[in-house]
Each structure stands twice: as C-alpha cells, then as structure tokens.
C-alpha cells in the first residue's frame, strides 16, 4: 500500500492530536484538524472526509505501515492513545525489519557469494520496511 504525502500529513496530524491528553478528540475534531493541516501545508481546500479519517485510524492501528498504534475509543465518542507515551514518530524497528537489515549487512560483507541483483532485492525490501521511519 503506497503512502502518499497527504496521508502522511494526516497520520502525523492524528498522532499529534491523540498525544494531546488535554483535549478530547472526536472523529469530527480529527477531520477538522487534518483538513486544517492539509490546507496549511499543501493549500488543499476540499477538506477530508470522515471515511478517510476512519480509514487512517484503521491503518494506523494495523501493522500495514508498522505503526500498530494503540488507538482507543473511550466514552463511545473520543479517541486517544491507550499508551500516553506512544507516538508513530517514536516507533522502533520491529523484529522482522531488524532481521532483514542484519541479512542485508551480512550479504554485503560477503559480496563474492551474492549477486548485485540479490543485494538490490534485499535492500529494496529493507527500504520498504523502513520507509515509514525515514519519512518523518
């Protein structure tokens, strides 16, 4: 699933909102915050739909981008992180990605036993896994 710049702006905006424990965030508040951020950063005036933010929340909760964000709904209306110290920008490298990096380093060290294409394939996989971490 490709991540575009507008989606990343929304994810970071949602992250900033959910880390702010001094405010209660409804879905409508998140829509407004993301619409404002897209206008400020990209000049986009059409706003963001509720459905888009719902999809973003689901994506952030999943492991698709490596976030696995502990987003909870409380009082049947408000959103926040279950862990008040969580942030998508502080997301550590998971075990699978770490293993890929170690494998890539080992293959590069033993260049004579591997083709350039194989190194490229491994580095491409590592790059895709680390993409989320490198974009902030």
């Amino acid at each position: 699933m490709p991540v575009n710049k507008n989606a990343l702006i929304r994810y970071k905006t949602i992250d900033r909102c959910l880390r702010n424990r001094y405010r209660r965030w409804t879905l409508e508040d998140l829509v407004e915050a993301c619409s404002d951020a897209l206008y400020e950063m990209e000049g986009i005036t059409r706003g963001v739909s509720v459905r888009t933010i719902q999809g973003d929340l689901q994506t952030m909760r999943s492991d698709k981008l490596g976030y696995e964000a502990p987003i909870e709904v409380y009082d049947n209306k408000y959103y926040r992180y279950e862990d008040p110290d969580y942030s998508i920008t502080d997301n550590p490298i998971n075990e699978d990605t770490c293993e890929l990096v170690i494998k890539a380093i080992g293959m590069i060290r033993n260049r004579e036993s591997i083709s350039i294409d194989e190194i490229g394939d491994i580095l491409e996989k590592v790059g895709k896994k680390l993409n989320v971490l490198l974009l902030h």
Side-chain angles (χ1 to χ4, degrees), residues 40-93:
E40 289 173 21
M41 297 174 132
E42 296 296 314
I44 296 172
T45 58
R46 67 182 178 276
V48 179
S49 71
V50 169
R51 187 170 181 178
T52 296
I53 299 304
Q54 288 172 323
D56 289 346
L57 290 167
Q58 194 60 37
T59 299
M60 290 172 70
R61 283 178 174 135
S62 76
D63 65 350
K64 283 183 185 177
L65 300 176
Y67 295 147
E68 298 181 69
I71 300 170
E72 69 176 356
V73 179
Y74 64 101
D75 294 342
N76 294 318
K77 185 175 183 176
Y78 303 107
Y79 292 81
R80 68 178 174 202
Y81 285 135
E82 199 173 323
D83 175 359
D85 296 325
Y86 180 84
S87 174
I88 62 171
T89 59
D90 296 335
N91 202 2
I93 296 175

Side-chain angles (χ1 to χ4, degrees), residues 9-58:
I9 291 169
R10 293 192 312 268
Y11 299 152
K12 284 184 157 190
T13 301
I14 292 168
D15 179 63
R16 189 179 66 249
C17 292
L18 298 183
R19 285 184 296 140
N20 179 357
R21 294 277 196 174
Y22 298 106
R23 179 167 175 189
R24 297 175 131 205
W25 294 95
T26 64
L27 190 57
E28 292 76 23
D29 293 332
L30 295 174
V31 167
E32 185 178 335
C34 288
S35 295
D36 290 348
L38 285 170
Y39 177 73
E40 289 173 21
M41 297 174 132
E42 296 296 314
I44 296 172
T45 58
R46 67 182 178 276
V48 179
S49 71
V50 169
R51 187 170 181 178
T52 296
I53 299 304
Q54 288 172 323
D56 289 346
L57 290 167
Q58 194 60 37

